[in-house]
Amino acid sequence: MRQRRSPADEAEALRISNAIDDELKREREAMRRTKARDVKVMLLGQAESGKSTLQKQFQLYYSSQTLEKERPSWRPIVYFNILKAIRMILDELDWEYGLGTSGDPLAISLAPSRAGTSRSDSGSGSSTYSKPNPAWFPELALLRSKLLPLVASEDALASELSGGISVSGGRTGVYVRSGWQALNSAARSWPLSDDYRTGMTARQSAVTNIVATTLAASMDEIEYLWWHPGVQKLVKAHKLKLEEYAAFFLANIRRIAQPDYLPSNEDILHVRLQTIGVTEHQFDISMGGTTYNWLLYDVGGARGQRHAWVPYFDDATAIIFLAPISAFDQYLEEDPRTNRIDDSLQLFTTICANKLLGNAALVLMLNKTDLLRQKLEAGVKVRKYISSYGDRPNSFEEVSEYFRAHFIQVHRRKDVSHRPLYLHFTSMLDIKATQSIIINVGEAIMRSHLTKIGLA
């Protein structure tokens, strides 16, 4: 027969049970508050939309000491950007003016056509383009011959910086994975793979040192090439389409070519470096007396990398989507038939309609407004590339509003949770303006986050 417990035993059992319940409640509350301090933000957008530059702006504002430690690691990346820009100029000079000869290193990258035929003859070039001055040819040919040894180092430097990482499709360039800055000491911080780390240090140091020495010896020729009327004529006629960083670095070649050069904040923001996969960055951000751990995920935006976004969707606090509205005259590298503005709209539609992201705050940055202004002021017509623009004025105010209205329409029609849309026009290279936007965006994200978890 079961013995009946005394009132004192029952009271003690109840006390223990209540104590356990209270402890579990405290643990749940502690876990809830700990989780509340983790803010997971995804930076999404197509390749070259400005995601990595925005990440650097966050780092510059909230964790400048880490950027200071990384500063030497950006030096060879800047060198590579300059080599690539020079090679693109020489390629175009070969094409437009027929400067190259068979057997030269650059000739292998050219199509059979030479002087008198333009890459832009298919309709993207300027109809007012006039023939070049024949007096330029000897000058440019001499510059070309002097700069070929420097440009010949491009692939070796890319291989060093990529640390053995290769990309399918035969594409060349510098590709890095998460944490590449921290893999080596401050003196040498580039992404060496395990195979590269064994027995190859001297060779790798030599490549960067050779490039630095050759760059210093060639800065007069580089400066002369960039400001040569034959080159500037191609730039103004939109026949020479360099990457966005090129003009900045080439105009600053004398500073960059100095032996004691260390990249400035502006240099680091201008650098073009292609990331593979998902890169995580952590920042401690204090708001209202509480420190929050921000986890920023910079996700590769090329079409082949977008599958990597999915695992990060389910518990994202916020999405910052970047759309480069200056890209109205550009097409995807992966699909030359798709306009980059159209691709951004399709991608934004997918984000808005994704149920896994329904609880995440949504921030839209219509980016690269500075480049948009430059193109419009140079006379590039939007309607030439986007027929639906029609006969609207080709002014910055009209064009930016046209793109803004299209993205807002996508949000209104497709957003699954009917959440607010925080929209900003941005130029990531404007440090002061961008950091003001970062503060406003951060506050909006935190309000949404604290409301969602019941702490607001």
Side-chain angles (χ1 to χ4, degrees), residues 220-247:
D220 289 339
E221 286 79 9
I222 296 171
E223 187 175 55
Y224 189 22
L225 176 72
W226 173 237
W227 295 114
H228 193 283
V231 172
Q232 291 298 312
K233 183 182 184 69
L234 294 177
V235 172
K236 291 174 183 176
H238 310 295
K239 287 178 173 287
L240 175 56
K241 294 188 177 181
L242 298 172
E243 295 195 17
E244 294 160 0
Y245 60 78

Side-chain angles (χ1 to χ4, degrees), residues 118-129:
S118 169
R119 298 178 204 241
S120 306
D121 282 348
S122 60
S124 60
S126 171
S127 58
T128 60
Y129 179 72

Side-chain angles (χ1 to χ4, degrees), residues 148-160:
L148 280 179
L150 176 63
V151 176
S153 303
E154 181 186 359
D155 287 346
L157 185 59
S159 179
E160 171 182 317

Side-chain angles (χ1 to χ4, degrees), residues 68-77 160-162 176 179-192 197 204-205 208 273:
E68 197 63 38
K69 292 177 182 177
E70 295 173 3
R71 199 174 297 279
S73 70
W74 291 100
R75 183 170 173 253
I77 306 288
E160 171 182 317
L161 295 171
S162 298
V176 298
W180 66 271
Q181 303 97 321
L183 287 176
N184 295 273
S185 66
R188 294 181 66 261
S189 301
W190 37 88
L192 310 185
R197 288 193 185 93
Q204 299 224 339
S205 297
T208 298
L273 181 65

Side-chain angles (χ1 to χ4, degrees), residues 46-48 171 301-304 306 327 329-344 346:
Q46 64 187 206
E48 300 185 51
R171 286 181 289 163
R303 278 188 171 180
R306 293 175 187 176
D329 61 341
Q330 297 173 311
Y331 297 84
L332 292 182
E333 182 180 352
E334 311 94 303
D335 181 6
R337 298 168 299 178
T338 301
N339 185 283
R340 287 187 59 192
I341 291 285
D342 193 33
D343 179 66
S344 278
Q346 293 177 29

Side-chain angles (χ1 to χ4, degrees), residues 135-185:
W136 296 341
F137 296 171
E139 298 172 351
L140 291 171
L142 181 60
L143 288 172
R144 179 186 186 279
S145 66
K146 288 184 176 181
L147 292 173
L148 280 179
L150 176 63
V151 176
S153 303
E154 181 186 359
D155 287 346
L157 185 59
S159 179
E160 171 182 317
L161 295 171
S162 298
I165 295 174
S166 60
V167 177
S168 61
R171 286 181 289 163
T172 60
V174 176
Y175 299 89
V176 298
R177 296 189 186 278
S178 176
W180 66 271
Q181 303 97 321
L183 287 176
N184 295 273
S185 66

